[in-house]
Amino acid sequence: MFKFKTLFFSNENQTIILEYQCIHLLLISYLHYPNQTVMRKLSIVFLFVLFITLHSIAQTGQILNPDQVVTTEHTVTVKGNKIPYKAIAGTLPVYGDSGKIIAGVFFTYYERTDIKDRSTRPLIISFNGGPGTSSVWMEMGYTGPRLVNVDDEGYPVQPYGIKENPFSLVDMADIVYVDPVNTGYSRITGNAAPSKFFGVNADIKYLAEWLSTFVTRYSRWTSPKYLIGESYGTNRVSGLALELQNRQWMFLNGVVLVSPTILGVERTGPVDMASRLPYYAATAWHHKMLPADLQSKDLTDLLPEVEEFTINELIPAITRGGSLDDDKRKAIAAKMSRYSGLKEKVIIQRNLNIPAQFFWKELLRDKGYSVGRLDSRYLGIDKQDAGDTTDYNAELISWNHAFSPAMNSYLHDELNYKTDLKYYMFGPVSPWDRSNDRTGENLRLAMAENPFMHVMVQSGYYDGACDYFNAKYNMWQLDPGGKMKQRISFKGYRSGHMMYLRKSDLETSTNDLREFILKTLPKPGQAAQYNQKF
């Protein structure tokens, strides 16, 4: 029996592989009925039409090859030193339970080329969040060798494009940026169910398998490894820390949480309501909406005062609810007004509970502006000043403005990755299964199991989506006994969700990363163990 079930077409750097079992069946029919002229003619016509159709599809470059890369050579000057490196851009397969390819995950991998021994050279594995966004943000804004063209505060400028990143970590570590399925150029192949990919735990499981494949293919098993995730990417890397350890037998030296979510750490009622106030104070301070005595303080001197009030007075007051006497309620509202820049009357009307959406609308309402959700330094203008919510996220629109044209141009022109696929800045990943999110607990257990593992949190004070005080709350609850507090650190910055977009914070935050990595590289021969104190 003659078998022919796979067609290959070449399109520039892309080889497109399409499986058509129907061809197999037609050829069987053709051979079994050699005297049937009609069947012979139909088979020839069908194969000709199919060839033309598939060749046309192949020429569009809109079908993903799940296992193909392009390698280019580059240099970047970091801290005054010229660093040679290669960039590997492409896809690596995700394998299903049966061993068949079910998706192709796109990545860019930067490897310094004048290093021979990689056994002691750190590997950084970088994820962004969404959960439906690619890794473009930290690749082009933070640690990669190229930076998106923005001004010193992070606002978009024209002409669009990129420039060298003088603060990149590629001098001291190799870095891979991973785009989960349906972000960037990553796609499902075949008939794999979306539920295999789109959920808290499904996401962690397949990405752990993929990382095992990546580390094997690029011979990085002996290298010190670090996960860094931003926003929902912090759920991702927190869960991966345990999954890699317990299912892939891959152990980490560190996890970096940039603008972390709540990580499945429960907070409801009074804690949830009160914990927003320190962020409100930071935002009001930035926009000069606080009383003169508070406004004259440095931000980092002001915030501890607000945090103490939040923990020691505001949470207990909200807990009392309707039983709180009027004088005490008024006193608490007056302090909230003082720290938030909002009117005392408004706070009392809302029972001491100020939702973030309302704050973004209310703070500068009388000036005709709203403030950004992910970075409240950014201003928006709404159709009307009335109302409880803003019309749009001023900061996100601004960031898309700068990043989208830069990334598409960079991949196509500098990294020579040619495809007609759409690069998903934000891809279709709905519905996303958020049930059984224990990623914070996963991280705690991974740390407990692995004495080498350290965690660093990086937060912008003006981030209203994943605010810095809730990031601190995560840290306190992840290690309630305080047994690992020497391995958990916090760094704050005077910007928002993507704190690295502000040039001065980019320099500071990358230096913090460098120090974290150097501090967490064990000395030769150092054992991973706990030592009992006698």
Side-chain angles (χ1 to χ4, degrees):
M1 181 180 294
F2 178 64
K3 292 187 178 181
F4 176 32
K5 72 169 189 173
T6 305
L7 290 178
F8 298 86
F9 295 100
S10 179
N11 178 31
E12 296 183 47
N13 293 317
Q14 210 173 21
T15 301
I16 298 173
I17 304 173
L18 301 171
E19 291 191 33
Y20 273 83
Q21 298 287 356
C22 58
I23 298 175
H24 181 195
L25 294 174
L26 275 172
L27 289 174
I28 290 174
S29 301
Y30 177 81
L31 293 172
H32 278 209
Y33 302 98
N35 298 322
Q36 299 294 327
T37 303
V38 174
M39 175 60 74
R40 182 184 294 258
K41 287 181 178 180
L42 284 174
S43 298
I44 292 171
V45 169
F46 180 84
L47 289 171
F48 176 76
V49 171
L50 185 60
F51 175 84
I52 295 298
T53 301
L54 295 180
H55 184 70
S56 175
I57 292 172
Q59 293 304 310
T60 69
Q62 291 188 339
I63 297 177
L64 179 77
N65 177 353
D67 195 357
Q68 183 184 24
V69 299
V70 177
T71 302
T72 49
E73 301 281 340
H74 310 268
T75 62
V76 62
T77 300
V78 179
K79 295 186 175 294
N81 299 312
K82 191 173 184 179
I83 309 299
Y85 68 94
K86 63 181 176 182
I88 302 173
T91 48
L92 202 62
V94 177
Y95 296 100
D97 295 336
S98 65
K100 288 188 176 181
I101 295 173
I102 59 173
V105 166
F106 184 79
F107 67 96
T108 46
Y109 174 44
Y110 299 100
E111 187 177 87
R112 185 167 173 170
T113 51
D114 60 351
I115 301 292
K116 292 183 179 179
D117 180 10
R118 299 193 185 278
S119 64
T120 59
R121 182 167 171 81
L123 173 66
I124 298 173
I125 301 163
S126 183
F127 291 95
N128 274 93
T133 189
S134 70
S135 291
V136 57
W137 312 104
M138 288 203 289
E139 179 176 359
M140 301 294 289
Y142 196 9
T143 53
R146 297 290 184 263
L147 278 180
V148 69
N149 193 23
V150 293
D151 74 5
D152 287 353
E153 289 298 316
Y155 290 89
V157 296
Q158 290 187 349
Y160 300 119
I162 57 174
K163 54 194 175 187
E164 284 199 350
N165 183 1
F167 309 111
S168 173
L169 296 190
V170 76
D171 62 325
M172 69 172 303
D174 298 327
I175 314 170
V176 59
Y177 299 89
V178 185
D179 293 343
V181 168
N182 273 18
T183 74
Y185 290 135
S186 300
R187 300 290 190 273
I188 297 173
T189 60
N191 297 317
S195 59
K196 287 277 188 182
F197 310 98
F198 303 153
V200 174
N201 295 296
D203 181 69
I204 291 165
K205 181 179 179 182
Y206 89 82
L207 285 172
E209 294 281 353
W210 185 91
L211 285 173
S212 180
T213 302
F214 174 88
V215 167
T216 298
R217 189 170 293 193
Y218 290 96
S219 302
R220 299 310 299 262
W221 274 99
T222 60
S223 302
K225 299 173 189 66
Y226 295 83
L227 294 179
I228 180 170
E230 180 180 10
S231 194
Y232 184 84
T234 59
N235 294 70
R236 199 165 264 143
V237 299
S238 296
L240 279 169
L242 187 65
E243 183 73 11
L244 287 171
Q245 225 166 258
N246 289 356
R247 299 289 182 269
Q248 304 300 326
W249 308 283
M250 185 186 300
F251 291 78
L252 305 171
N253 286 70
V255 176
V256 180
L257 307 177
V258 178
S259 305
T261 68
I262 64 173
L263 302 180
V265 177
E266 186 68 25
R267 69 204 71 190
T268 56
V271 171
D272 180 49
M273 296 176 195
S275 60
R276 310 175 195 128
L277 184 63
Y279 154 71
Y280 294 164
T283 299
W285 182 90
H286 175 79
H287 291 292
K288 296 180 170 51
M289 297 296 289
L290 296 182
D293 63 316
L294 295 182
Q295 201 66 57
S296 65
K297 294 185 177 185
D298 186 76
L299 179 62
T300 54
D301 293 328
L302 167 67
L303 292 179
E305 177 183 331
V306 184
E307 293 173 16
E308 286 300 308
F309 167 74
T310 299
I311 295 170
N312 297 324
E313 298 184 55
L314 184 55
I315 291 176
I318 295 176
T319 300
R320 289 185 177 277
S323 72
L324 189 68
D325 68 65
D326 291 344
D327 289 342
K328 183 64 173 177
R329 183 185 304 275
K330 184 172 176 59
I332 291 292
K335 273 197 172 182
M336 288 181 69
S337 173
R338 178 172 161 78
Y339 290 138
S340 69
L342 303 184
K343 297 179 180 67
E344 182 181 329
K345 180 180 178 181
V346 169
I347 293 170
I348 290 176
Q349 287 173 339
R350 290 185 169 265
N351 298 326
L352 310 182
N353 178 21
I354 306 298
Q357 276 277 7
F358 178 76
F359 176 80
W360 300 325
K361 183 75 172 181
E362 178 70 16
L363 180 66
L364 300 179
R365 188 193 299 272
D366 293 343
K367 297 180 182 294
Y369 294 106
S370 60
V371 300
R373 169 178 174 262
L374 294 165
D375 191 330
S376 50
R377 297 175 302 145
Y378 288 70
L379 300 179
I381 51 173
D382 292 344
K383 185 175 182 179
Q384 59 181 25
D385 295 333
D388 288 352
T389 60
T390 62
D391 290 353
Y392 64 100
N393 292 335
E395 76 298 324
L396 188 56
I397 295 298
S398 176
W399 297 339
N400 284 334
H401 196 174
F403 277 81
S404 180
M407 187 59 168
N408 279 278
S409 173
Y410 172 65
L411 289 172
H412 186 273
D413 299 333
E414 185 166 340
L415 299 192
N416 202 33
Y417 189 82
K418 311 293 186 182
T419 179
D420 289 340
L421 278 174
K422 179 185 290 186
Y423 184 86
Y424 282 138
M425 301 288 288
F426 295 91
V429 298
S430 295
W432 189 269
D433 182 2
R434 295 182 180 270
S435 62
N436 196 29
D437 182 352
R438 293 175 50 82
T439 50
E441 172 59 19
N442 294 159
L443 180 59
R444 185 207 65 79
L445 183 56
M447 288 186 72
E449 291 178 352
N450 178 7
F452 277 159
M453 188 187 295
H454 289 66
V455 170
M456 180 171 71
V457 177
Q458 295 184 301
S459 288
Y461 294 125
Y462 306 130
D463 181 0
C466 301
D467 68 271
Y468 89 91
F469 187 67
N470 271 289
K472 286 186 173 183
Y473 184 85
N474 279 346
M475 294 168 56
W476 301 334
Q477 305 311 312
L478 288 182
D479 180 32
K483 295 178 181 178
M484 298 185 291
K485 61 185 177 183
Q486 299 303 318
R487 291 193 279 146
I488 305 174
S489 58
F490 174 87
K491 301 292 183 180
Y493 308 92
R494 296 172 189 245
S495 46
H497 197 70
M498 297 198 292
M499 73 285 168
Y500 43 80
L501 291 185
R502 183 170 176 260
K503 185 176 180 180
S504 59
D505 284 328
L506 172 63
E507 183 174 6
T508 304
S509 58
T510 50
N511 282 338
D512 289 338
L513 283 176
R514 290 173 181 277
E515 291 176 9
F516 175 73
I517 290 172
L518 291 174
K519 183 182 73 173
T520 55
L521 290 173
K523 297 176 182 178
Q526 180 181 341
Q529 68 180 74
Y530 295 116
N531 293 312
Q532 183 179 352
K533 295 180 180 179
F534 295 97

